[in-house]
Amino acid sequence: DKVAMKHYRAALVSVRANCVAIRSWCNRAKLDYVALGPEHLNVDSAFHCHGDGLGLRDWEGVSVGCLGFKLWRWLSCADLSVLSSHTEELLSMFIHVYTSHGGPTLKLKMLHAHFILAACLDSVELLDTVTDIYDCLPKEKFASIECLGDSRLSDFISRRGLWQTVKRFANVLVVMNSYNITERLLTYTSESIGFHQVSKAGPIQFVGSVTVDKA
């Protein structure tokens, strides 16, 4: 889809030029949107203690940070259909459970903005893995792959870290396409972060941050 790729490239260039500004804005969000928690979650990351307790196996990966970033990391390898159709539903569920267990009441719009921006930042970080991906499957063959179940991707499955990278790449594209990321970047940046749009087909340049609480 040439139109989708045009918007993806524009968003990618804009985010890449403003990574520091985006991270700064998200990490300086109200403390309600910052919490202690693991950076990644796997099936064996947590365990039940005797009674009603819950334990973590990997404390090295625990840090204080933006909840939207953490939620993206936790869901970045989910099935494509989950992120394309149920993202806001999952975030709403998280807000409900988080609040019912003593956490502050979060606003879905702000949490969703952080989540989307985390996916955008991930798209930039994943660019460093493209060479490794093409080592497993040449670039010219990717155009004919229509789903992650394609048998030609079997080599990735045997290399677990690379397989997760491919899934994250696919999920980033799904999120950016499903939520019209170009328009959302313009909304977030003009109202909250303080970017300046040069053109919809070109990068958005950072011109200074503004404090806005409209979410």
Side-chain angles (χ1 to χ4, degrees):
D1 188 324
K2 292 183 178 180
V3 175
M5 284 305 298
K6 177 182 178 181
H7 287 299
Y8 169 69
R9 290 192 184 99
L12 187 63
V13 171
S14 299
V15 172
R16 191 172 191 175
N18 297 290
C19 283
V20 174
I22 293 174
R23 289 185 183 280
S24 175
W25 179 71
C26 290
N27 287 325
R28 287 190 289 105
K30 295 170 64 175
L31 289 179
D32 289 354
Y33 296 86
V34 175
L36 175 70
E39 291 297 317
H40 300 276
L41 281 180
N42 297 312
V43 292
D44 58 350
S45 295
F47 61 91
H48 280 289
C49 301
H50 293 295
D52 297 326
L54 185 67
L56 289 176
R57 298 185 190 279
D58 179 23
W59 279 96
E60 185 178 354
V62 174
S63 65
V64 173
C66 177
L67 271 173
F69 283 26
K70 293 182 182 295
L71 287 166
W72 167 252
R73 290 291 187 182
W74 301 346
L75 295 171
S76 61
C77 286
D79 288 342
L80 295 176
S81 59
V82 173
L83 292 178
S84 62
S85 305
H86 304 289
T87 296
E88 293 189 33
E89 180 183 345
L90 287 170
L91 294 181
S92 295
M93 185 182 300
F94 172 82
I95 290 172
H96 172 73
V97 174
Y98 191 60
T99 303
S100 65
H101 285 76
T105 301
L106 307 178
K107 295 178 180 178
L108 178 59
K109 182 179 177 182
M110 178 65 82
L111 187 63
H112 193 240
H114 289 172
F115 184 86
I116 295 295
L117 288 172
C120 290
L121 288 173
D122 207 16
S123 70
V124 174
E125 294 176 6
L126 288 170
L127 291 178
D128 293 335
T129 68
V130 171
T131 302
D132 292 333
I133 291 174
Y134 285 158
D135 282 344
C136 274
L137 190 69
K139 179 180 179 180
E140 56 272 14
K141 293 185 178 181
F142 258 98
S144 60
I145 291 179
E146 297 182 353
C147 68
L148 290 176
D150 193 299
S151 60
R152 287 171 292 177
L153 294 178
S154 58
D155 286 345
F156 290 95
I157 298 177
S158 62
R159 300 171 63 179
R160 185 169 179 269
L162 198 55
W163 172 244
Q164 289 181 341
T165 297
V166 172
K167 286 201 71 174
R168 281 169 58 199
F169 239 129
N171 282 340
V172 164
L173 293 174
V174 165
V175 168
M176 294 177 81
N177 188 52
S178 299
Y179 292 98
N180 196 358
I181 195 60
T182 305
E183 293 300 323
R184 283 178 178 264
L185 274 175
L186 297 180
T187 300
Y188 299 155
T189 55
S190 62
E191 292 184 359
S192 305
I193 307 179
F195 293 176
H196 171 68
Q197 180 209 2
V198 175
S199 71
K200 290 188 178 181
I204 301 168
Q205 299 297 328
F206 179 67
V207 294
S209 60
V210 220
T211 302
V212 176
D213 184 16
K214 294 184 178 181

